[in-house]
Amino acid sequence: MRTQLKEATILFAGDSGDGIQLTGGQFTNTAAQSGNDISTFPNFPAEIRAPQGTLAGVSGFQLKFGSVNIYTPGDECDVLVTMNAAALKANLSTLKKGGIIIANEGGFDAKNLRLAKYPEGVNPLNNQTLDDYEVHTIDVTKMTREALKSSNLGQKEIDRSKNMFVLGFVYWIYNRSLDKTIDYLSAKFAKKPELLEANINVLKAGYNFGETAEAFTARYEIGPAPLPKGIYRSISGNQAIGLGLLAATQKAGLQLFYGSYPITPASTILHELAKYKNFGVKTFQAEDEIAAICSAIGASFGGALGVTGSSGPGIALKGEALGLAVILEIPLVVCNIQRGGPSTGLPTKTEQADLFQALYGRNGEAPMPVISTRSPSDCFETTLEACRIAIEHMTPVLLLSDGYIANGSEPWKFPKSADLPTIKPSMATPRSNGSDEVFLPYKRDEKLSRKWALPGMKGLQHRIGGIEKEHETGNVSYDPDNHEFMTRLRAEKIEKINEHTPQQKLDNGPDSGDLLIIGWGSTYGSIKTVVRDLIAEGYSVAHAHIRYLNPLPKNLGTIIQSYKHVLVPEMNNGQLIKVLRDKYLVDAVGLNKIKGMPFTANEIKNKAVGLI
Ligand code: COA
């Protein structure tokens, strides 16, 4: 029996080490290939190997996929695949009443139950606690061993492939082809043929189990989503940042240099860019955060686009060098993939608490443009825009993303190069022989930007460094009037950028009305879902999502004044709201979540309805 569905949410959960991320990633890729719209939420502990079997060690991967537009990984799950007792306990609250539980019986032995802190003698699979759900208990470990009984692999490797059994079974439930995963495994384990064969055998065993299991008869069909025509791939936020940086430098005719020090959740940008040596991309894993940004500043000084990436703790270390880039007035893109803070905080959990750091976190008056991305696929376009601003306005730019966007995936339509904006660096022209024209390195154009003067070019010799510059000549200057003048000029230059960026648009809703929900960053999908639903229910609600956080779009104040109430949901203790109150004197209301987890749509909806 096959039931047609519009959308479904699955949560794969198990111990870290059970291969849950790989399983979720494979289901995502297969769903993307089938044309579904998708949103994913990988959620795992900070320890490389958290204490086995414990609640703290649970690794989860939630995805929502559908034949309709999908904006979030789902508030509640339809299916919870749980590899052990801890994964069930940690995630049961996210499963819909009546939802399906697929439980690995082997993960519910006495030891696993004790580690998951179930009372002595209690096994949730054998009592009434799961009566509200449809529970399917499968001894995945036993069946995996059975499928591999003639394999020469060791017990550990055999047991590790049990995630493929579960994946094969879930593919059967949703009637998906195994081909894409077989291709992936063939590439991943090309040098380990026995491991490859074992994984493929177990994947097929899981699928075939579905064909033969009498207890499980329900299967579901979810057709392709109405996405605009084109070639799509599934893309994570950090992959999209990597490709955005690459595309921007190609469109600007510049070399790309990426200097960074590894840090969760930013490291995968370095991994992604390291693949593009064929485009001349230079990646440098520096010895620390300061070296990473300073190498990028050096690259920009030399005429490449210098980029560095980190998360909040690393950006803190880069503080002085950020100021250096501000006073040098050279292009630099700094990606902050935010995570829970302060200090080391919650490395693998998401937060939007570095907005103040991005806006103000430097010594002296050191304003720089801040631009934020809202979803994995949006990272491509926003990164291009960050590079455009850096190059065309001769300034460092802070690009804000977060762990939720960085690790999450969604379909991304391959753009055509011709459709991407051309980026125009404004290079100083070397002097010709005999020319006596004096080069003024800090002479400005109508945007108040200076020219990019490459070292070694005839007649373009100039002083550079962190000490205050004299207007136009760039000579060292301690003159009080010059310092005030230059400080105001640098601020005006950044403020003027909003003459060259788009006006704020409403994402949805009427031009005026009862409530405006203003968001930035990864709250996009949840707010979008809420506003869509509230409008359908007859409420007068609109949504504005801010990409340009500094300078703010020129028309934002007018938009804000057109609504009776303004709600600002943020995954922090209230940062954008303070900026908006300061700038527009608006009595906005905040909704703040600081749990390392994204908002569910319902959390925002309840607050919104309470205001109107
Ligand atoms: N056969 C062989 N290998 C398999 C497999 C299978 N069937 N299934 C999974 N694996 C491998 C994966 O490829 C992965 O190895 P790789 O990283 O070399 O590719 C490994 O087993 C773990 O599987 P994965 O699905 O990626 O993760 P998991 O759900 O088991 O959870 C993590 C492990 C991700 C939680 C943990 O290892 C981790 O990395 N935590 C985050 C660490 C971090 O960033 N800390 C912050 C520091 S500041």
Side-chain angles (χ1 to χ4, degrees), residues 297 320-330 332 368 394-396:
I297 290 173
E320 191 206 347
L322 285 169
L324 175 64
V326 169
I327 201 165
L328 293 180
E329 300 189 52
I330 53 164
L332 179 76
M368 64 173 69
M394 293 292 286
T395 175

Side-chain angles (χ1 to χ4, degrees), residues 274-519:
K275 295 178 193 162
Y276 300 110
K277 292 190 175 59
N278 55 322
F279 284 102
V281 176
K282 294 196 171 54
T283 47
F284 170 51
Q285 181 176 322
E287 68 268 34
D288 59 39
E289 296 282 1
I290 299 174
I293 185 169
C294 288
S295 64
I297 290 173
S300 281
F301 178 60
L305 178 65
V307 183
T308 187
S310 189
S311 191
I315 301 292
L317 294 166
K318 295 179 194 294
E320 191 206 347
L322 285 169
L324 175 64
V326 169
I327 201 165
L328 293 180
E329 300 189 52
I330 53 164
L332 179 76
V333 176
V334 182
C335 312
N336 180 353
I337 318 301
Q338 300 162 94
R339 66 191 214 183
S343 185
T344 315
L346 305 172
T348 57
K349 306 291 171 186
T350 197
E351 206 162 273
Q352 299 180 296
D354 296 346
L355 178 60
F356 282 170
Q357 183 193 40
L359 293 172
Y360 313 119
R362 291 166 289 284
N363 66 300
E365 298 279 349
M368 64 173 69
V370 179
I371 171 167
S372 94
T373 176
R374 66 187 192 193
S375 74
S377 64
D378 178 65
C379 282
F380 179 79
E381 204 185 308
T382 309
T383 303
L384 265 172
E385 184 60 349
C387 296
R388 184 191 70 77
I389 294 171
I391 293 167
E392 295 189 349
H393 294 263
M394 293 292 286
T395 175
V397 174
L398 253 158
L399 171 66
L400 290 176
S401 176
D402 65 32
Y404 177 37
I405 296 175
N407 294 325
S409 305
E410 57 185 17
W412 175 61
K413 187 176 160 198
F414 277 88
K416 291 203 176 75
S417 174
D419 296 339
L420 301 177
T422 303
I423 299 176
K424 300 183 196 90
S426 184
M427 298 297 185
T429 336
R431 302 296 186 244
S432 48
N433 282 339
S435 164
D436 55 3
E437 196 187 341
V438 178
F439 175 57
L440 292 171
Y442 284 82
K443 194 172 158 63
R444 293 161 197 278
D445 61 15
E446 72 293 345
K447 300 195 295 275
L448 299 183
S449 303
R450 71 185 193 95
K451 295 267 187 221
W452 195 349
L454 302 191
M457 296 290 170
K458 196 171 175 57
L460 301 187
Q461 296 91 326
H462 61 285
R463 287 189 183 80
I464 205 90
I467 292 188
E468 183 60 281
K469 282 150 189 31
E470 186 182 64
H471 177 46
E472 295 202 335
T473 67
N475 290 337
V476 168
S477 169
Y478 300 109
D479 175 61
D481 290 339
N482 178 75
H483 175 57
E484 182 161 327
F485 177 79
M486 290 298 277
T487 302
R488 291 189 195 282
L489 199 58
R490 285 189 289 263
E492 196 186 337
K493 168 181 137 174
I494 300 306
E495 205 48 45
K496 261 179 112 53
I497 291 173
N498 70 9
E499 292 172 14
H500 304 268
T501 52
Q503 300 267 50
Q504 180 66 45
K505 285 202 185 95
L506 290 177
D507 189 78
N508 197 359
D511 289 343
S512 61
D514 291 338
L515 176 67
L516 174 67
I517 307 186
I518 301 185

Side-chain angles (χ1 to χ4, degrees), residues 17-22 45-48 59 163 188-189 199 264:
D18 277 344
I20 292 298
Q21 300 307 318
L22 188 147
E47 286 75 21
I48 301 293
S59 170
N163 58 340
K188 184 170 173 74
F189 299 124
N199 271 293
T264 301

Side-chain angles (χ1 to χ4, degrees), residues 12-270:
F12 294 96
D15 202 19
S16 32
D18 277 344
I20 292 298
Q21 300 307 318
L22 188 147
T23 309
Q26 282 310 299
F27 196 94
T28 303
N29 290 344
T30 296
Q33 204 189 31
S34 315
N36 296 130
D37 199 359
I38 315 160
S39 175
T40 74
F41 177 40
N43 185 12
F44 44 83
E47 286 75 21
I48 301 293
R49 194 66 187 90
Q52 210 167 356
T54 61
L55 289 161
V58 173
S59 170
F61 191 108
Q62 184 167 321
L63 81 146
K64 185 171 185 177
F65 61 111
S67 59
V68 290
N69 291 324
I70 304 287
Y71 303 112
T72 74
D75 281 11
E76 291 184 307
C77 308
D78 301 294
V79 177
L80 169 61
V81 177
T82 171
M83 300 300 278
N84 68 4
L88 176 72
K89 193 169 202 185
N91 292 298
L92 188 60
S93 61
T94 63
L95 185 64
K96 271 182 191 153
K97 289 278 170 286
I100 298 170
I101 295 174
I102 298 168
N104 169 28
E105 196 177 339
F108 285 77
D109 59 12
K111 186 177 169 201
N112 273 293
L113 289 165
R114 185 166 34 79
L115 287 167
K117 299 201 181 326
Y118 279 102
E120 194 62 35
V122 171
N123 182 344
L125 299 182
N126 301 335
N127 61 23
Q128 286 80 46
T129 48
L130 301 180
D131 279 359
D132 286 344
Y133 307 98
E134 184 185 325
V135 183
H136 297 272
T137 307
I138 307 171
D139 198 339
V140 179
T141 311
K142 190 169 145 202
M143 291 189 156
T144 302
R145 289 179 184 173
E146 180 66 24
L148 297 182
K149 60 177 186 265
S150 54
S151 164
N152 293 324
L153 291 176
Q155 196 62 61
K156 205 171 151 201
E157 279 167 316
I158 288 177
D159 286 350
R160 193 166 56 174
S161 49
K162 64 183 184 298
N163 58 340
M164 289 299 113
F165 188 93
V166 167
L167 181 61
F169 181 50
V170 179
Y171 278 156
W172 176 82
I173 296 176
Y174 288 98
N175 193 30
R176 299 291 151 135
S177 158
L178 308 183
D179 293 351
K180 191 138 178 82
T181 295
I182 292 176
D183 289 350
Y184 168 83
L185 293 169
S186 304
K188 184 170 173 74
F189 299 124
K191 292 191 182 136
K192 297 178 182 168
E194 257 189 296
L195 197 58
L196 169 63
E197 195 189 336
N199 271 293
I200 294 176
N201 283 346
V202 177
L203 182 73
K204 288 181 177 168
Y207 192 92
N208 293 336
F209 172 77
E211 294 278 329
T212 51
E214 285 171 13
F216 210 102
T217 50
R219 293 182 82 183
Y220 303 100
E221 295 280 354
I222 298 183
L227 301 171
K229 244 181 145 71
I231 300 172
Y232 285 81
R233 60 166 280 190
S234 148
I235 199 159
S236 73
N238 279 357
Q239 286 172 330
I241 287 182
L243 290 176
L245 292 170
L246 179 56
T249 43
Q250 292 288 310
K251 295 302 284 188
L254 297 172
Q255 275 209 334
L256 172 59
F257 174 90
Y258 187 79
S260 87
Y261 179 74
I263 185 167
T264 301
S267 304
T268 43
I269 301 175
L270 179 63

